[in-house]
Amino acid sequence: MTVLLAQKAKAGDADKSAQFKLELELFSQTLLAQIAVQEIMAGIEVEEAQIRKRYAQQPPQTLYRFMIWETSSKKLAANTLDLLRAGDQALEQNPLITRIETPWLMGTDIDPEVNRQVMELNIEQFVGSPIHQDEKWKVVQLIDKRELTREPYAQERDNIRADIVAEELQKKLDSLFAAAEIISDQ
């Protein structure tokens, strides 16, 4: 079908149009760029020791669920935290406070600063002070936590290798870009 349509377009002189020439040039540049990336990637060697080291350095994955009390006032958030720690449940009636129960969240899905604070919490404990995020003050309580078992090395190996290759490729492309001089034909 492609050949037939190409012949029809050629019979109508579509291959002589400015649009065709522009598209052909863009396709040519894209193809050449892909070939260059493939050549760079082929030159990247990843040793088994690198992959094993990266596997060993991976932190355990943890799932968390939180109860969050959210307000626009820092003072109200601090007061809310004190009341919750004291066991006061009357906060449910306060229209200035929104209570949110989160679904399971991966540790990697949580803001790194918040994640550092919740990693050490036990279930039912609160983060030490309200967190300012998304223009809201949040009181955060850990309500559940589960550590996931790590996948065996054999299952993770190819993904880790691909990550290392991608990182090395990016370094090489950044270096190439930094040293590049773009020459225009016009």
Side-chain angles (χ1 to χ4, degrees):
M1 182 60 94
T2 302
V3 173
L4 178 64
L5 291 171
Q7 288 174 352
K8 180 179 177 353
K10 203 170 192 178
D13 288 335
D15 60 330
K16 294 179 176 47
S17 72
Q19 180 183 354
F20 174 80
K21 291 176 183 174
L22 177 63
E23 293 285 340
L24 185 61
E25 178 61 27
L26 290 173
F27 174 75
S28 175
Q29 288 178 10
T30 300
L31 182 59
L32 289 169
Q34 288 175 350
I35 291 169
V37 166
Q38 289 171 356
E39 288 174 354
I40 293 169
M41 287 177 69
I44 296 173
E45 293 183 22
V46 180
E47 295 189 19
E48 195 66 27
Q50 282 178 280
I51 301 170
R52 288 192 182 282
K53 181 178 178 185
R54 179 76 60 96
Y55 178 78
Q57 291 173 338
Q58 289 180 334
Q61 293 294 321
T62 306
L63 291 172
Y64 300 99
R65 284 187 53 233
F66 302 101
M67 189 64 71
I68 299 172
W69 290 265
E70 191 176 80
T71 181
S72 57
S73 164
K74 181 179 182 178
K75 184 177 179 180
L76 181 56
N79 187 40
T80 299
L81 178 59
D82 291 341
L83 290 171
L84 287 167
R85 283 186 173 149
D88 188 341
Q89 297 300 318
L91 298 166
E92 305 301 322
Q93 279 60 26
N94 189 333
L96 299 175
I97 300 171
T98 304
R99 182 176 166 225
I100 303 164
E101 184 174 334
T102 69
W104 286 103
L105 300 171
M106 292 285 294
T108 54
D109 295 333
I110 301 169
D111 178 271
E113 179 59 34
V114 176
N115 194 25
R116 279 190 286 281
Q117 294 179 55
V118 301
M119 287 174 75
E120 304 303 319
L121 292 179
N122 292 319
I123 294 172
E124 301 300 321
Q125 285 187 316
F126 293 90
V127 171
S129 60
I131 297 168
H132 190 251
Q133 190 179 53
D134 304 323
E135 299 182 27
K136 298 278 186 178
W137 288 94
K138 300 175 182 182
V139 174
V140 178
Q141 180 185 32
L142 178 64
I143 58 174
D144 209 348
K145 179 179 184 177
R146 293 193 185 146
E147 286 205 16
L148 302 176
T149 56
R150 179 189 277 184
E151 295 293 334
Y153 175 77
Q155 284 183 284
E156 291 290 321
R157 184 194 177 283
D158 290 342
N159 290 336
I160 294 169
R161 184 186 183 288
D163 289 345
I164 294 170
V165 168
E167 291 165 9
E168 291 301 314
L169 173 63
Q170 190 59 53
K171 287 178 192 174
K172 290 180 183 289
L173 292 175
D174 289 347
S175 175
L176 182 66
F177 182 74
E181 205 176 299
I182 298 177
I183 301 169
S184 176
D185 292 339
Q186 300 176 17

